[in-house]
Amino acid sequence: MQNVIETIQPAISTIVTAIVGVLVTFALAGINTLKNRANNWLDARTTDAQREVIHKVAGEAFALAQTAFKEAGGERKLQEALQYASLTLSSQGIVVSQVELKSAIEKAYLEYKTKTKAVFATEAQPNEEAAQAAAKEAVSGLAAKLNEFLAQATAEVVLVPQAQPEPEPVPAPTEPTQVSVATE
């Protein structure tokens, strides 16, 4: 029996070594796949983080151009915003094309316009309600004055015939008067 074990032992060692090799190969392939997925995930996260930074810097650039260059035209403001954003991002090591940067600044501009329109709409709403209330009050006041005027006018019409004094009697002449009649 010992002879059989000594003869089979090198074959078993070879088979066990082969099986361990195959298992290690599969483990390394799995680890490599996980590493690639982790790198892709980190790259995607880094890109998302960079996009957030780009959009924040674009918002700052738009705000700077809007306040510092009030009198300048839209194109000049855009150029100033592009210059500021480009310098700021390059100092942080983020490389962005001019088209991407311009689109981020335009997005900040559109968000600003949307917010200001929303603010104006909410501010106009209470003023509009107050104006409507004032108009209703004015109309009701005008209606009351008109009713009062009509009441006075109809009262005067009714009172005018009653208010006429009776004609005074003509006193009878005490002396006879001569009337001359001219004949032709």
Side-chain angles (χ1 to χ4, degrees):
M1 186 77 154
Q2 191 135 14
N3 243 351
V4 176
I5 293 178
E6 287 178 2
T7 338
I8 298 177
Q9 190 173 10
I12 292 176
S13 292
T14 308
I15 291 173
V16 170
T17 306
I19 290 174
V20 170
V22 169
L23 289 176
V24 168
T25 305
F26 278 121
L28 288 175
I31 290 173
N32 192 31
T33 303
L34 287 175
K35 182 188 82 162
N36 287 338
R37 286 185 181 177
N39 284 339
N40 289 339
W41 183 81
L42 285 173
D43 288 343
R45 286 290 173 203
T46 303
T47 303
D48 287 344
Q50 286 179 344
R51 288 223 174 274
E52 285 182 35
V53 170
I54 291 168
H55 287 288
K56 285 181 182 178
V57 169
E60 291 173 4
F62 168 72
L64 173 71
Q66 194 70 1
T67 56
F69 303 100
K70 288 180 183 178
E71 303 300 320
E75 191 61 35
R76 169 90 192 281
K77 288 180 183 179
L78 178 62
Q79 291 304 319
E80 294 295 332
L82 282 169
Q83 182 180 4
Y84 170 82
S86 178
L87 290 173
T88 303
L89 290 173
S90 64
S91 72
Q92 294 181 5
I94 300 174
V95 178
V96 182
S97 70
Q98 288 291 324
V99 174
E100 267 186 299
L101 200 52
K102 183 177 179 181
S103 67
I105 292 170
E106 291 290 340
K107 180 182 176 191
Y109 169 70
L110 292 175
E111 288 173 352
Y112 169 77
K113 279 182 63 175
T114 303
K115 287 178 184 175
T116 55
K117 283 183 181 179
V119 167
F120 286 142
T122 56
E123 286 178 356
Q125 190 71 19
N127 291 341
E128 191 173 304
E129 290 173 0
Q132 287 178 353
K136 285 180 182 178
E137 187 177 319
V139 167
S140 63
L142 182 62
K145 286 185 180 181
L146 183 61
N147 284 338
E148 183 181 314
F149 175 74
L150 288 175
Q152 286 178 353
T154 55
E156 286 179 4
V157 169
V158 171
L159 292 178
V160 168
Q162 293 174 356
Q164 287 180 350
E166 292 197 24
E168 291 182 23
V170 180
T174 53
E175 291 181 19
T177 32
Q178 288 182 342
V179 180
S180 65
V181 178
T183 58
E184 287 183 31

